[in-house]
Amino acid sequence: AQSVTQPDIHITVSEGASLELRCNYSYGATPYLFWYVQSPGQGLQLLLKYFSGDTLVQGIKGFEAEFKRSQSSFNLRKPSVHWSDAAEYFCAVGTTFGNEKLTFGTGTRLTIIP
Amino acid sequence: ETGVTQTPRHLVMGMTNKKSLKCEQHLGHNAMYWYKQSAKKPLELMFVYNFKEQTENNSVPSRFSPECPNSSHLFLHLHTLQPEDSALYLCASSQGDSGANVLTFGAGSRLTVL
């Protein structure tokens, strides 16, 4: 069975600083990878997804992620964070195209300090 | 109204009560999902419906009873719950067999069992 690990439970960065959130997955074939964001009191919103092709994918709100097969990773990055980026971020893996049963990580809570 | 709407947003119930959570999607999707989100744990998939038919029951206790009368509505009937069932219950929808693998989530129903 597939699994997702987000090793950082909580990250604090200064506004304007760069950000990288880590995600590692376990799956024997090519996975379908996602990053979702959850603001307080809200549901999950899709930031970006990787299905195939270019391993560097661009998402909404200035986020990007890079799929590295050799490292089984799909880390999320943003060059300069804004206070509104404070939220919880979830990495997820899907294993079958057309099957939306995703496996989620435990999430990384991002705090932004002035 | 657009997106995925969940009601109520907050629910407090005793262990002997019967209550229901409602989810409605206005996206024309064919698949709907219930997820459970507990603190410090990954999202847990509970049920999946495709074209009103249940296609997944992830070993959920019978005190949780889903109902999907049509592709736009999904209910979760709750009966004799336990305090450990307190969590955020998230509804999601997707295109189903289109291969999109993209879930659209509602804001969730926060359940507290006393």
Side-chain angles (χ1 to χ4, degrees):
Chain A
Q2 67 276 11
S3 66
V4 176
T5 301
Q6 293 182 248
D8 303 306
I9 295 174
H10 187 198
I11 284 182
T12 299
V13 299
S14 299
E15 190 169 14
S18 63
L19 171 70
E20 182 169 27
L21 302 183
R22 295 183 291 167
C23 172
N24 293 97
Y25 68 89
S26 174
Y27 181 60
T30 300
Y32 302 101
L33 296 161
F34 307 80
W35 276 100
Y36 283 85
V37 60
Q38 185 179 33
S39 298
Q42 300 297 316
L44 278 70
Q45 180 185 21
L46 180 70
L47 280 177
L48 48 77
K49 62 185 184 291
Y50 170 78
F51 284 174
S52 64
D54 192 346
T55 56
L56 183 64
V57 294
Q58 303 296 320
I60 62 171
K61 305 184 180 185
F63 285 92
E64 67 178 25
E66 186 171 11
F67 170 54
K68 292 186 177 180
R69 183 188 303 275
S70 61
Q71 298 177 20
S72 298
S73 69
F74 189 57
N75 293 349
L76 182 71
R77 301 194 294 249
K78 186 169 184 178
S80 176
V81 296
H82 187 263
W83 64 267
S84 60
D85 293 324
E88 188 137 20
Y89 292 79
F90 294 91
C91 182
V93 61
T95 58
T96 306
F97 196 65
N99 180 346
E100 286 87 344
K101 293 182 291 183
L102 303 183
T103 299
F104 286 84
T106 50
T108 297
R109 180 168 299 282
L110 176 64
T111 298
I112 308 295
I113 56 177
Chain B
E1 191 170 355
T2 60
V4 180
T5 304
Q6 291 188 241
T7 55
R9 292 293 309 275
H10 300 272
L11 177 64
V12 179
M13 59 186 291
M15 293 169 60
T16 58
N17 291 159
K18 289 184 181 180
K19 297 286 184 183
S20 296
L21 306 181
K22 178 183 176 182
C23 176
E24 183 174 5
Q25 58 96 1
H26 306 271
L27 301 168
H29 289 168
N30 297 312
M32 298 187 77
Y33 310 74
W34 280 116
Y35 277 88
K36 177 183 179 182
Q37 186 178 28
S38 304
K40 310 301 182 189
K41 295 175 67 175
L43 271 73
E44 301 172 53
L45 179 63
M46 301 175 71
F47 301 103
V48 182
Y49 279 81
N50 266 292
F51 295 92
K52 304 187 300 177
E53 299 298 320
Q54 187 180 118
T55 57
E56 183 90 10
N57 178 337
N58 202 19
S59 302
V60 180
S62 60
R63 58 185 183 270
F64 294 92
S65 174
E67 178 190 1
C68 188
N70 55 62
S71 294
S72 298
H73 294 85
L74 183 65
F75 295 88
L76 189 61
H77 304 301
L78 314 171
H79 178 50
T80 59
L81 295 191
Q82 305 298 312
E84 59 265 28
D85 296 323
S86 298
L88 182 68
Y89 289 85
L90 292 166
C91 175
S93 68
S94 73
Q95 287 285 79
D97 294 335
S98 71
N101 273 107
V102 176
L103 301 176
T104 301
F105 284 87
S109 294
R110 172 74 60 186
L111 172 67
T112 302
V113 181
L114 302 177

